[in-house]
């Protein structure tokens, strides 16, 4: 099936060459980071996690969002998702690869990442996070590839795939739950010290993951002969709406608890993000942009007429992507470190190194996604023509 990825028109090869160019730029800047260390980033003593960690956190959610396809299709026999479930699984594969690479580039000494597996420490959330991420990656590769091969051969998937599919469902929930536990298990960070962080992460995942998949399905329908199906896309849009409502509700709960309790160490983080603190307000415009995007997206997705309009739905999914990325990426990471545990305000702004290296990592993920989608769509289009 890999041979299908080697066949494409001029646009396809220009796209792949562009991704390789971005990877090359990322590799060049990463070599510089390896030489000089993390001093080339905007991270500091007070803000030790930055743009890399933000990207990793967001794409874990995108990967976990794939369960919103797997669960209805395999457990509840929702046939409308039959055409796009494999696309969701392969989106999870590309997302997890990016997550692991973001963790790798975040380390000053990348080889130390192997210590998670060489020297298991069950008391560490990083140990569990590394293992569930790798396990979920392997599961999705095995499931997606075997189901697609069976579809190409016109046969049923192997019997042993079913238990792996059922296992992947709790694994999808666990990857983002464990990621949230890394943050809320730190008592010195008031912004993260909340039991609602894991549900909030999952709610945003169930909005962001399907929203990105909708955008990809629309692109595929426009550029190829494969039609994912309008009803499947509309159902996904409804899932996005409910997930986004839950995410905003949990955010409101956070704000209420923080300000009603009146605990200064908790209030200062929210103040810094949304109104500024001690004259520091670099993230304020970003956070209000996030609130606006999520609020507008909820209105557009809740109303059936606007949700079922292709142009408005495309715009709504862009709003969901931007809003959740700012909220869970920039806001969640920087907001937990600023102000510091000693109430010092050290603002964080990513450097050119971080942005280009992150672009390179994302290009790797998109390259893998393009190859997997190219194979999948080629097989589906061929089977569709055979039936005709």
């Amino acid at each position: 099936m890999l041979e299908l990825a080697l066949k494409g028109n001029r646009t396809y090869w220009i796209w792949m060459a562009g991704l390789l160019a971005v990877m090359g730029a990322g590799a060049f800047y990463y070599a510089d980071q390896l030489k000089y260390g993390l001093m080339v980033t905007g991270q500091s003593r007070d803000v030790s996690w930055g743009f890399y960690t933000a990207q990793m956190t967001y794409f874990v959610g995108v990967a976990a969002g794939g369960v919103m396809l797997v669960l209805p299709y395999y457990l509840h026999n929702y046939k409308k998702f039959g055409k796009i479930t494999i696309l969701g699984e392969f989106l999870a594969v590309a997302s997890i690869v990016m997550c692991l690479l973001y963790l790798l580039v975040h380390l000053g000494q990348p080889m130390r990442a192997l210590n998670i597996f060489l020297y298991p420490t069950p008391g560490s959330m990083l140990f569990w996070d590394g293992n569930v991420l790798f396990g979920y990656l392997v599961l999705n590769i095995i499931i997606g590839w075997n189901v697609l091969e069976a579809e190409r051969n016109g046969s049923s998937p192997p019997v042993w795939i079913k238990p792996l599919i059922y296992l992947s469902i709790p694994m999808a929930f666990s990857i983002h739950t464990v990621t949230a536990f890394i943050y809320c298990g730190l008592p010195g960070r008031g912004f993260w010290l909340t039991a609602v962080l894991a549900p909030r992460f999952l709610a945003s995942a169930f909005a962001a993951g399907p929203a990105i998949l909708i955008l990809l399905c629309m692109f595929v329908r426009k550029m190829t002969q494969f039609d994912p199906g309008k009803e499947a896309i509309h159902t996904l849009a409804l899932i996005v709406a409910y997930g986004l409502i839950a995410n905003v509700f949990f955010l409101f709960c956070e704000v209420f608890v923080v300000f009603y309790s009146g605990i200064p160490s908790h209030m200062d983080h929210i103040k810094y993000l949304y109104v500024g603190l001690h004259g520091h307000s670099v993230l304020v415009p970003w956070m209000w942009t996030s609130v606006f995007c999520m609020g507008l997206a909820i209105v557009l997705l809740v109303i059936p007429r606007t949700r079922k309009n292709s142009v408005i739905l495309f715009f709504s999914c862009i709003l969901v992507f931007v809003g959740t990325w700012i909220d869970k990426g920039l806001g969640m990471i920087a907001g937990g470190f600023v102000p510091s545990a000693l109430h010092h305000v050290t603002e964080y702004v990513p450097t050119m190194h971080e942005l280009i290296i992150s672009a390179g990592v994302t290009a790797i993920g998109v390259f893998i996604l393009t190859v997997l989608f190219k194979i999948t769509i080629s097989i589906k289009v061929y089977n569709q023509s055979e039936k005709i």
Side-chain angles (χ1 to χ4, degrees):
M1 291 192 293
L2 286 171
E3 292 179 359
L4 296 172
L6 301 177
K7 300 176 183 178
N9 56 26
R10 183 180 179 184
T11 303
Y12 172 74
W13 289 112
I14 290 175
W15 169 252
M16 300 300 273
L19 291 175
L20 288 172
V22 176
M23 289 183 217
F28 177 81
Y29 274 80
Y30 182 61
D32 203 50
Q33 179 180 295
L34 279 178
K35 181 179 180 180
Y36 295 103
L38 293 175
M39 63 181 291
V40 301
T41 71
Q43 300 172 53
S44 61
R45 180 197 63 181
D46 290 339
V47 184
S48 52
W49 295 349
F51 198 76
Y52 301 144
T53 311
Q55 293 289 90
M56 183 277 293
T57 304
Y58 186 78
F59 281 107
V60 170
V62 173
V67 76
M68 289 292 99
L69 290 166
V70 174
L71 198 152
Y73 180 63
Y74 288 109
L75 260 63
H76 301 288
N77 201 30
Y78 186 71
K79 297 297 185 182
K80 300 299 181 182
F81 281 168
K83 290 184 177 181
I84 61 175
T85 300
I86 294 179
L87 299 182
E89 290 169 343
F90 284 157
L91 175 59
V93 169
S95 299
I96 293 296
V97 169
M98 286 188 281
C99 292
L100 294 173
L101 289 175
Y102 276 118
L103 286 172
L104 197 67
V105 299
H106 173 69
L107 297 174
Q109 295 292 333
M111 292 301 294
R112 291 180 180 174
L114 294 175
N115 291 341
I116 293 177
F117 307 102
L118 295 176
Y119 307 102
T121 310
S124 168
M125 283 296 106
L126 286 175
F127 165 76
W128 292 107
D129 195 44
N131 279 278
V132 295
L133 284 175
F134 187 75
Y136 190 60
L137 171 65
V138 173
L139 279 176
N140 276 279
I141 291 174
I142 294 174
I143 294 168
W145 196 259
N146 280 275
V147 169
L148 184 62
E149 188 172 27
E151 184 175 340
R152 184 196 65 167
N153 296 332
S155 60
S156 299
V159 177
W160 54 267
I161 282 291
K162 265 294 176 66
L164 295 184
I165 292 171
Y166 295 144
L167 177 61
S168 71
I169 294 173
M171 284 286 285
F173 286 89
S174 71
I175 60 172
H176 221 21
T177 300
V178 174
T179 303
F181 284 174
I182 292 175
Y183 301 120
C184 63
L186 301 175
R189 304 292 175 180
F191 184 63
W192 298 331
L193 191 60
T194 169
V196 83
L197 192 64
R200 185 179 169 192
F201 270 25
L202 288 172
S204 65
F206 299 155
I212 292 175
L213 186 59
I214 289 173
L215 294 173
L216 290 172
C217 286
M218 288 182 167
F219 178 79
V220 165
R221 187 169 61 186
K222 182 74 173 178
M223 301 299 294
T224 71
Q225 298 175 350
F226 174 64
D227 184 8
K230 283 188 177 181
E231 192 168 342
I233 291 176
H234 291 161
T235 304
L236 271 181
L238 197 59
I239 292 172
V240 172
Y242 290 140
L244 194 59
I245 290 171
N247 182 51
V248 173
F249 172 71
F250 288 136
L251 175 60
F252 171 77
C253 291
E254 285 286 334
V255 173
F256 171 78
V257 170
V258 165
F259 286 96
Y260 192 79
S261 64
I263 302 175
S265 61
H266 288 214
M267 289 192 297
D268 284 350
H269 294 281
I270 301 293
K271 287 180 178 178
Y272 169 70
L273 289 176
Y274 291 97
V275 296
L277 187 67
H278 306 320
H280 300 277
S281 57
V282 69
L283 285 180
V284 171
W286 290 89
M287 298 311 297
W288 282 110
T289 298
S290 172
V291 171
F292 172 79
C293 288
M294 291 191 292
L296 181 57
I298 287 174
V299 173
L300 295 176
L301 290 170
V302 165
I303 301 172
R305 180 176 294 181
T306 55
R307 184 177 65 247
K308 293 180 180 180
N309 183 291
S310 296
V311 177
I312 297 178
L313 178 58
F314 180 84
F315 176 67
S316 301
C317 290
I318 294 291
L319 290 175
V320 173
F321 170 74
V322 173
T324 54
W325 181 79
I326 295 173
D327 177 51
K328 194 163 67 176
L330 294 178
M332 185 60 63
I333 303 304
F337 284 104
V338 185
S340 69
L342 299 176
H343 301 283
H344 294 157
V345 177
T346 304
E347 291 195 296
Y348 165 77
V349 177
T351 63
M352 186 62 69
H353 278 76
E354 289 173 279
L355 295 176
I356 295 180
I357 291 171
S358 296
V361 170
T362 303
I364 293 174
V366 175
F367 187 92
I368 293 171
L369 185 67
T370 303
V371 170
L372 293 175
F373 270 37
K374 179 69 166 59
I375 296 171
T376 304
I377 292 165
S378 298
I379 290 173
K380 288 184 176 292
V381 169
Y382 177 77
N383 288 345
Q384 183 176 293
S385 63
E386 284 291 302
K387 290 178 182 178
I388 295 174

